[in-house]
Amino acid sequence: MRVSQTASPARTPLETFFRFSEYAVVFLCLVMFTEGLLPRLFASETDPESTLLRMLWLPVYGFILLGCASMPMRFFSALLRIPFLVFILVLACASWSWSIDSAVTERRAIAIVATTLGGLFMAMRYDWRTMLRLFGAVWLFMAVVSIVSGIVAPGFAVMQDVHTGAWRGMWWEKNALGGHMARASFLMAFLLLMDRPWRKLWAAALVMCVALVLLSTSKTALIGLLFGIGVLVAGAWMRRGVVSTLSMLWAGVVLVAGAAMALVLAPEFVFQLLGRDATLTGRTDIWTALMDAIAARPWLGYGYGAFWGVDSQPAYMVRLATEWAVPTAHNGWLETALSIGLVGLAGLIMSYLLFVFRAARLAVRDWTGLFALGVAGQFLLFSLSESIALQQNTIVWVTLVSVASKVALSVSAPARSRQSQPPRPSVVGRNGPAARRAGM
């Protein structure tokens, strides 16, 4: 998020027009990836992949491929920095040959490649500030539309049958709204700290996103929201010096140990506090049944995106065991194992660990690394109860790939280029977080 010390040359009106046209197209593509509004209008909850929506995705994929093809050297250089992501994409495409539904795997494999390339394009094309502003603009738009629809069309944006009164906004279910807005709140809080020119806008956006988390009544989303804000508070405190860093680390260890002890010694109290039952609303029953399914085809899985098909016999056995129409694994890691096996799961784990390691390295010298750690932490939290890992046409995966790729590109910058830069002010000082350091 640093900005060069030399002034950039003035753009011609034509260049400005093309630049803003590009921003508009990227904005619309990211809105598509949010999975909000359009599926509610042109599909159904039981069949979210309508023919019309599939056609609408084609120009999005075309734009992404064109964008990556426009910078081939940077594209291949970026691919070399994310080897485990490339591996699981290759495995997802190859799973067509052993899939229990090859037609579905073929279609969805193309979609996950395009979705991943969308995140890579964002990382290659834009600097930190521009990339996060684009994500922020999309979530601000979705928050405004959700709030307006909740006021003027509550039958559309507020759940009426199950979880009566809980807001779902532009999505099918309250947990989707809550999860998206929790992640958006973290982004808005980070931009509020770092993007000085637009601070008032991000402050208003943060208020709206937090309000939607509360209106969704999602407990997991609330925990995700508190986690994101806690990361920023902890980062600011740790920048004060060695003593502050050690005290924060000690406090973190104590909190984690205390939470683990409470979960082991008094699980009923913890679940009651979270508003959950011991099965996590039936999720543990699903996971138990899925272990047998994974054991039946452990190494390469059932083919990317094929397990939960309508005619899938393994999925039928899981639904028979749980006595309800289970739509997903409700766990991103188990979902990956079902799709591309334990081999693919190992690739995903290695990709995630590499991302966290690089983000930690970057966090030592730059706030963007701290933001990346927050993204990684929220992803882990939500992936434990929702199937958000390696999912096609989702902004969660686009965001993870874009941030992970941007971190990879940032930490791989030549050391001499960093050493040649002039000294920068500390991150936290009398004037607050160093927006100048972040280039904002």
Side-chain angles (χ1 to χ4, degrees):
M1 294 166 74
R2 291 184 287 274
V3 174
S4 174
Q5 300 295 320
T6 59
S8 59
R11 297 191 184 96
T12 65
L14 186 60
E15 290 174 334
T16 301
F17 170 77
F18 281 118
R19 175 59 63 89
F20 279 98
S21 297
E22 177 187 319
Y23 288 159
V25 173
V26 171
F27 175 86
L28 292 175
C29 290
L30 290 177
V31 169
M32 283 281 292
F33 279 116
T34 64
E35 304 173 275
L37 186 58
L38 291 181
R40 295 286 306 279
L41 297 177
F42 302 116
S44 65
E45 189 172 5
T46 56
D47 183 23
E49 294 184 347
S50 68
T51 303
L52 177 59
L53 280 180
R54 291 175 189 170
M55 297 299 294
L56 289 176
W57 278 114
L58 295 181
V60 176
Y61 297 163
F63 174 77
I64 291 172
L65 293 177
L66 181 63
C68 291
S70 67
M71 36 188 171
M73 297 302 295
R74 194 181 306 178
F75 174 68
F76 288 110
S77 177
L79 286 181
L80 293 176
R81 291 176 170 87
I82 52 173
F84 296 110
L85 267 179
V86 174
F87 170 73
I88 58 178
L89 286 182
V90 171
L91 195 61
C93 293
S95 69
W96 167 84
S97 62
W98 64 79
S99 173
I100 60 174
D101 192 335
S102 57
V104 169
T105 295
E106 181 180 16
R107 186 175 69 248
R108 293 183 178 176
I110 294 173
I112 188 57
V113 170
T115 303
T116 304
L117 292 182
L120 188 60
F121 168 78
M122 294 291 291
M124 294 186 300
R125 176 62 175 160
Y126 304 114
D127 57 27
W128 275 104
R129 176 177 64 178
T130 305
M131 185 179 78
L132 296 185
R133 279 180 172 178
L134 283 168
F135 280 119
V138 169
W139 286 122
L140 174 59
F141 170 76
M142 295 302 293
V144 170
V145 174
S146 294
I147 290 175
V148 171
S149 63
I151 295 173
V152 303
F156 180 83
V158 181
M159 300 189 72
Q160 305 295 324
D161 300 325
V162 183
H163 307 296
T164 304
W167 283 43
R168 60 183 176 182
M170 297 293 98
W171 292 269
W172 292 111
E173 207 265 339
K174 70 181 184 71
N175 288 335
L177 170 67
H180 285 310
M181 290 300 113
R183 290 182 287 268
S185 295
F186 175 57
L187 172 61
M188 299 306 180
F190 183 75
L191 289 170
L192 173 63
L193 291 174
M194 293 296 166
D195 194 4
R196 187 180 296 272
W198 296 96
R199 181 165 291 177
K200 292 182 179 179
L201 176 66
W202 303 129
L206 175 60
V207 171
M208 285 188 283
C209 292
V210 170
L212 286 170
V213 170
L214 298 177
L215 289 170
S216 74
T217 71
S218 171
K219 304 299 188 301
T220 305
L222 182 59
I223 295 173
L225 167 65
L226 295 176
F227 172 83
I229 301 302
V231 166
L232 296 179
V233 173
W237 179 262
M238 291 171 69
R239 295 282 182 165
R240 295 166 63 92
V242 177
V243 175
S244 299
T245 299
L246 293 176
S247 65
M248 183 57 67
L249 290 175
W250 175 250
V253 170
V254 170
L255 287 174
V256 171
M261 288 182 62
L263 188 59
V264 172
L265 299 177
E268 297 83 1
F269 172 76
V270 175
F271 288 130
Q272 185 178 7
L273 189 64
L274 295 176
R276 300 271 189 168
D277 56 38
T279 67
L280 298 178
T281 321
R283 285 175 172 83
T284 56
D285 296 332
I286 300 172
W287 300 338
T288 300
L290 288 179
M291 291 303 175
D292 294 333
I294 293 173
R297 298 183 68 164
W299 299 115
L300 297 176
Y302 294 83
Y304 179 75
F307 184 84
W308 297 104
V310 176
D311 300 323
S312 169
Q313 184 65 23
Y316 171 76
M317 298 304 296
V318 172
R319 289 162 179 154
L320 189 65
T322 57
E323 299 182 345
W324 70 289
V326 183
T328 70
H330 286 284
N331 182 289
W333 310 92
L334 292 179
E335 196 76 68
T336 301
L338 290 170
S339 289
I340 50 178
L342 297 180
V343 175
L345 177 61
L348 178 63
I349 292 173
M350 292 302 297
S351 177
Y352 179 81
L353 292 177
L354 180 61
F355 170 36
V356 172
F357 172 74
R358 286 169 167 170
R361 284 182 56 194
L362 185 61
V364 173
R365 59 182 173 86
D366 201 295
W367 270 80
T368 52
L370 186 70
F371 173 77
L373 285 174
V375 170
Q378 285 189 324
F379 176 81
L380 178 61
L381 172 66
F382 286 105
S383 67
L384 295 177
S385 60
E386 301 295 339
S387 297
I388 61 173
L390 198 64
Q391 293 298 299
Q392 77 279 2
N393 301 339
T394 63
I395 199 168
V396 175
W397 189 247
V398 171
T399 302
L400 184 75
V401 172
S402 62
V403 175
S405 300
K406 196 67 180 176
V407 167
L409 294 171
S410 298
V411 299
S412 301
R416 62 178 179 273
S417 66
R418 295 197 297 266
Q419 293 170 356
S420 63
Q421 291 174 352
R424 294 165 297 172
S426 61
V427 174
V428 178
R430 289 179 299 173
N431 294 326
R436 288 174 294 172
R437 173 178 179 177
M440 305 182 77

